[in-house]
Amino acid sequence: MGAAAAGTRVFLEVRRRLQSALLILGEPKEGGVSMDISITPSSLQVKTPEGCTELQLPAEVRLVPSSCGGLRYVPGDGLHLRLQVQAESNAKLVSMFNQSSQAQECCTFYCQSCGEVIIRDRELIRVLPLPSENWGALVEEWCCHPDPFANKPLHPQENDCFIGDSFFLVNLRSDLWQPRPELAPVETCCPSSENHLKLKPKANTKVICKRCKVMLGETMSSETTKFYMTEIIIQPSERNFPIIPRSQFVQSIIAQCLVELSTARSTFRFTVQGHDGKVYILLWILNSDSLVIESLRSSKSIKKFSLLEDILKADSGSAWNAVKVLYQPCIKSRNEKLSSAWESDISIHSLTLPSATCLELLLILSRNNATLPPSLRYMNSFQL
């Protein structure tokens, strides 16, 4: 889908389930400029004295021109109007990389950031989902006798891969790559009468990539290691390492996690916390059936972080599936009361990621928010 070079921004959000769309035509650079709008089932065309902008729609989306209504002018945005669409409602959010492991398949685990091989040629015989975090508390309601699973943690065997909400659990054998735990100084009390404090080295549970030093996961026991989905790519061994921009990969994995959890557990509010236990972001899913189509994206007005430059170049004009969320940052003591209330609410689910990835995600959300038309960036006290 292409767009001719022109100055008018065209923003179209299609809701597949509602079979409706919101069309926003950006304000012209000079006030009072006439605008000729042409809508056909498969395209949009906007003509101004400055030029012509044409937007071709994906094959699965068709507009209903006769349904246009609700025309209004919004300062800062331009013209808003709504119309009906005919869109495939069974479309699903598809990751740019299929992260799910298949049983009976020989796989290689890579560091997503640098491509370092973490586990080579591991045959996965059992790939199983882990129960929810609160499964132990529910066992008492299921059993009329003492809990048969008490003090029996779920540890994978040699050829197992257990899948959690945002992580994989695998068993590391001695003949494969082994994580080298860091040494972190901790304070311990000296038994002498002076009761001085001295530092004693203690093994850290963080698993670090040998090449790029990124945190990949944590050691759970002497054999079991947790790898976070946002840090690891699992590929069939016969395939090469896929080069995927970091920002796109993180967005794809987080979107998959949110959609799957909200569908399976009817949970739409999430806290994103680091491995250190600190809450970084509050997320509230609005919908996961949006298709966003744009002709121009004003990336010149966005401050470019090195982390985000690759994705700014990649999506200058296209259509993509989107999960619409509200978010609140919780760094630097922001939103402490709201964060505390969410943490104590049992209906809100928590996603744990490496702390550095939480900050990456916050930058991505901020960047995506800045590309929206101004009227769509906030809802009450939340950012969109």
Side-chain angles (χ1 to χ4, degrees):
M1 68 234 51
T8 303
R9 180 187 184 183
V10 179
F11 177 92
L12 181 69
E13 181 190 358
V14 176
R15 293 290 309 277
R16 290 191 177 94
R17 291 175 187 160
L18 301 179
Q19 297 289 289
S20 66
L22 170 64
L23 174 63
I24 300 178
L25 303 174
E27 285 189 303
K29 294 180 180 179
E30 298 180 3
V33 176
S34 62
M35 184 182 295
D36 184 14
I37 306 168
S38 175
I39 300 178
T40 69
S42 60
S43 66
L44 292 166
Q45 189 180 76
V46 181
K47 292 182 180 179
T48 66
E50 296 177 347
C52 176
T53 301
E54 185 172 1
L55 190 67
Q56 296 293 331
L57 303 180
E60 69 271 16
V61 177
R62 286 295 177 262
L63 302 177
V64 181
S66 60
S67 66
C68 291
L71 180 65
R72 63 192 179 99
Y73 172 77
V74 177
D77 278 5
L79 294 177
H80 284 220
L81 62 92
R82 294 190 174 273
L83 63 162
Q84 295 178 3
V85 298
Q86 296 172 350
E88 295 180 4
S89 59
N90 59 350
K92 296 181 180 179
L93 180 76
V94 179
S95 167
M96 60 184 303
F97 174 72
N98 183 13
Q99 204 42 346
S100 60
S101 307
Q102 299 296 323
Q104 307 293 340
E105 191 170 39
C106 198
C107 296
T108 296
F109 290 56
Y110 299 91
C111 169
Q112 195 278 325
S113 297
C114 69
E116 174 77 1
V117 174
I118 307 303
I119 301 177
R120 188 186 299 276
D121 298 334
R122 169 65 65 91
E123 183 182 6
L124 299 177
I125 296 178
R126 295 194 307 169
V127 179
L128 302 172
L130 286 168
S132 64
E133 295 179 356
N134 301 320
W135 72 274
L138 297 175
V139 171
E140 296 180 359
E141 304 296 330
W142 298 339
C143 301
C144 58
H145 48 78
D147 181 3
F149 306 107
N151 301 319
K152 293 183 179 179
L154 298 175
H155 290 311
Q157 299 301 311
E158 190 172 280
N159 297 107
D160 294 344
C161 179
F162 293 168
I163 303 176
D165 294 340
S166 59
F167 60 87
F168 304 106
L169 285 185
V170 295
N171 186 296
L172 292 183
R173 298 175 300 189
S174 59
D175 59 330
L176 294 173
W177 176 91
Q178 292 288 347
R180 293 180 296 179
E182 294 181 345
L183 292 179
V186 295
E187 291 186 349
T188 57
C189 262
C190 177
S192 67
S193 59
E194 296 179 358
N195 197 29
H196 290 301
L197 290 177
K198 65 180 181 179
L199 296 179
K200 179 182 178 180
K202 180 182 178 181
N204 196 319
T205 60
K206 291 196 297 185
V207 177
I208 306 297
C209 175
K210 293 180 181 179
R211 179 187 293 176
C212 66
K213 308 304 179 184
V214 165
M215 179 180 175
L216 304 175
E218 301 174 79
T219 54
M220 308 300 292
S221 68
S222 59
E223 294 185 344
T224 303
T225 299
K226 174 199 290 185
F227 288 117
Y228 291 106
M229 291 182 182
T230 53
E231 316 306 317
I232 293 291
I233 283 183
I234 304 176
Q235 282 280 85
S237 295
E238 64 270 13
R239 298 183 188 175
N240 295 325
F241 171 74
I243 299 176
I244 302 173
R246 175 67 180 166
S247 298
Q248 296 182 26
F249 183 81
V250 171
Q251 286 188 89
S252 176
I253 294 300
I254 297 300
Q256 286 185 85
C257 290
L258 294 178
V259 171
E260 290 174 4
L261 287 171
S262 63
T263 301
R265 304 181 186 178
S266 297
T267 300
F268 301 97
R269 290 187 293 169
F270 300 85
T271 59
V272 179
Q273 66 179 25
H275 67 279
D276 53 6
K278 296 179 182 178
V279 175
Y280 285 78
I281 312 170
L282 307 179
L283 289 176
W284 193 333
I285 296 182
L286 290 182
N287 65 271
S288 59
D289 66 333
S290 288
L291 176 69
V292 178
I293 308 169
E294 281 194 88
S295 62
L296 294 174
R297 304 194 73 173
S298 54
S299 58
K300 292 181 180 179
S301 63
I302 304 170
K303 182 177 179 181
K304 288 190 177 183
F305 299 93
S306 58
L307 171 71
L308 306 177
E309 286 178 355
D310 49 18
I311 194 168
L312 284 169
K313 295 175 183 176
D315 58 6
S316 58
S318 58
W320 64 96
N321 295 306
V323 178
K324 186 186 290 186
V325 299
L326 301 175
Y327 77 96
Q328 284 279 24
C330 296
I331 59 175
K332 297 182 178 179
S333 302
R334 296 177 62 181
N335 300 302
E336 285 185 323
K337 291 184 178 180
L338 183 60
S339 174
S340 178
W342 278 40
E343 287 184 86
S344 60
D345 191 332
I346 60 173
S347 68
I348 295 176
H349 193 78
S350 177
L351 283 178
T352 302
L353 303 171
S355 298
T357 303
C358 294
L359 293 175
E360 287 182 55
L361 179 59
L362 189 55
L363 280 176
I364 292 169
L365 289 169
S366 178
R367 177 261 170 187
N368 289 346
N369 177 268
T371 63
L372 291 172
S375 67
L376 302 183
R377 295 177 188 174
Y378 295 90
M379 180 178 291
N380 297 329
S381 61
F382 280 80
Q383 291 176 275
L384 193 60

